[in-house]
Amino acid sequence: LIRERGIASVSIADVMGAVDLTVGGFYRHFDSKEALVSEAIEAASLETVGEMTLPSHGSQGPAEFRAAVARYVSRDHIADPGRGCPVAALAAEAAREAKATRAAMQRAVGRVVAMLEADGPKTKRERRRMFTALSTAVGAVILGRVLKGTRIGDELVASVRAELLEGD
Amino acid sequence: LIRERGIASVSIADVMGAVDLTVGGFYRHFDSKEALVSEAIEAASLETVGEMTLPSHGSQGPAEFRAAVARYVSRDHIADPGRGCPVAALAAEAAREAKATRAAMQRAVGRVVAMLEADGPKTKRERRRMFTALSTAVGAVILGRVLKGTRIGDELVASVRAELLEGD
DNA sequence: TGTACATCAGTGAACGCGCGTTCACTGATGTAC
DNA sequence: TGTACATCAGTGAACGCGCGTTCACTGATGTAC
């Protein structure tokens, strides 16, 4: 719900309503809205990284990397933020939130980096390419979402996808 | 103000207070908050593109492109969203807003693309690289902001900057 | 030059509403004896 | 096996607050004569 609508636009009543409960009960489970948001980012991050890593346990080859990119920079991911990467959906908003939320988002990014590093040590050049590819993928999903339904949006997503998949 | 704090977190009282006026007068100037947000995105977009294009009028060479990238993917830009690119600051949030706001953000992205296209027709390959570089730059600024003050954030920004400036 | 009047940016109080949080309570569940 | 009691998830009403928007008003400005 938060990934779909953003942190500020989801109320506790929305969250509780979505599981057919009433607002009052919320505080049996979380100390505050901020605690919920932090845990939600954490959970979504684990889920997303888990899906990306799924086929091979830990050691990722270039084929797995390409498959992950193809799933990340895709029409499906762009069309369904609610089930997608919390970094793409919420990074900009989380950067303006209180400490706990920012920290959760920093951990989420860290987890992606750790996943990309999982197949052993990298040269400086490889690390640079890794950070660049990550920025490109996140940027493309965010831009793809705001441009959804426009010609330029389709071209941008197709371009980035092809560029990342071809290596360079 | 909106670029700094986000659309939802800026109230009309905040905006009017920032220019030492009271809330009531707001509606002499704008029909609604949404109208203000749309115009603010429009204005910020013109300002940002203007700054990027400034040195040479229209026809941009590779040197101007490199200078623009260096200014965009920089510590200064990341540290000061309030004076920076509205796309990096607000694209993800604008994607969830009503039509007028989304449309303003789409125009903002379109303006950047038009600027990058300004030095004449491009091959398909060049267009692909252009869209990729745009996604990379926007992604890096957004990630740089959420990671501000962390080791990984510094490394990511430095990496993307170097990678984009070196060509590839 | 002086007066009457229209315009309109800005005021400040009010509106209905939804927010996050609190709290006294209910009632199902599981344990102790 | 049956009874008494503690636990605690969930209820629903209330709180104080800030939100976007409306509206009757004020008062400075500029134009018409």
Side-chain angles (χ1 to χ4, degrees):
Chain A
L1 214 60
I2 295 172
R3 282 177 275 177
E4 240 170 56
R5 302 210 221 132
I7 297 168
S9 301
V10 171
S11 71
I12 287 166
D14 291 336
V15 172
M16 295 305 276
V19 287
D20 274 320
L21 296 175
T22 56
V23 266
F26 176 80
Y27 293 88
R28 293 278 162 199
H29 301 275
F30 298 96
D31 283 348
S32 62
K33 185 183 177 183
E34 200 191 345
L36 164 73
V37 170
S38 299
E39 287 197 35
I41 290 172
E42 204 80 23
S45 155
L46 287 167
E47 184 188 302
T48 303
V49 169
E51 279 168 20
M52 294 283 175
T53 321
L54 229 173
S56 70
H57 289 258
S59 79
Q60 304 253 102
E64 279 84 2
F65 174 76
R66 287 165 53 83
V69 165
R71 223 173 313 139
Y72 199 95
V73 184
S74 71
R75 256 183 252 278
D76 283 355
H77 185 202
I78 286 167
D80 192 7
R83 285 195 237 284
C85 174
V87 175
L90 303 173
E93 195 179 0
R96 304 182 210 108
E97 293 282 321
K99 213 170 179 178
T101 305
R102 278 193 50 152
M105 185 54 76
Q106 290 174 354
R107 263 176 272 127
V109 177
R111 236 190 300 275
V112 177
V113 173
M115 178 194 82
L116 293 172
E117 281 176 325
D119 54 335
K122 293 196 180 305
T123 63
K124 283 208 170 171
R125 192 182 159 78
E126 282 172 334
R127 278 183 75 81
R128 270 177 36 180
R129 289 196 179 247
M130 172 187 79
F131 283 121
T132 303
L134 174 59
S135 301
T136 307
V138 170
V141 170
I142 291 170
L143 289 172
R145 281 182 183 151
V146 80
L147 295 173
K148 199 158 67 165
T150 69
R151 218 172 349 112
I152 275 195
D154 292 343
E155 194 184 351
L156 181 140
V157 173
S159 294
V160 170
R161 186 176 231 271
E163 194 80 8
L164 283 178
L165 288 180
E166 286 182 18
D168 33 30
Chain B
L1 212 61
I2 294 171
R3 282 177 275 176
E4 239 171 57
R5 301 207 221 133
I7 297 168
S9 301
V10 171
S11 71
I12 287 167
D14 291 336
V15 172
M16 295 305 276
V19 288
D20 273 321
L21 295 176
T22 57
V23 266
F26 176 80
Y27 293 87
R28 293 280 162 195
H29 301 276
F30 299 95
D31 283 348
S32 63
K33 185 183 178 184
E34 200 191 346
L36 164 73
V37 170
S38 299
E39 287 198 34
I41 289 172
E42 203 80 22
S45 156
L46 286 168
E47 184 189 301
T48 303
V49 169
E51 279 169 19
M52 294 284 175
T53 322
L54 229 172
S56 71
H57 289 259
S59 80
Q60 303 252 103
E64 279 84 1
F65 174 76
R66 287 164 52 83
V69 166
R71 225 174 311 141
Y72 199 95
V73 184
S74 71
R75 255 183 252 278
D76 283 354
H77 185 201
I78 286 166
D80 192 7
R83 286 196 236 284
C85 174
V87 175
L90 304 172
E93 197 178 359
R96 302 182 212 108
E97 294 281 321
K99 213 172 180 177
T101 304
R102 278 192 50 151
M105 185 55 75
Q106 290 173 355
R107 265 176 270 127
V109 178
R111 236 189 301 274
V112 176
V113 173
M115 179 193 80
L116 293 171
E117 281 175 326
D119 55 334
K122 295 197 181 302
T123 63
K124 282 208 170 172
R125 192 183 160 79
E126 282 171 335
R127 277 183 76 82
R128 269 176 40 179
R129 289 197 179 246
M130 174 187 80
F131 283 120
T132 304
L134 174 60
S135 300
T136 308
V138 170
V141 170
I142 291 171
L143 290 172
R145 280 181 184 151
V146 80
L147 295 173
K148 198 157 71 165
T150 69
R151 216 170 351 109
I152 275 195
D154 292 344
E155 194 183 350
L156 180 140
V157 173
S159 294
V160 170
R161 185 177 232 270
E163 195 80 7
L164 283 179
L165 289 178
E166 284 182 21
D168 33 30

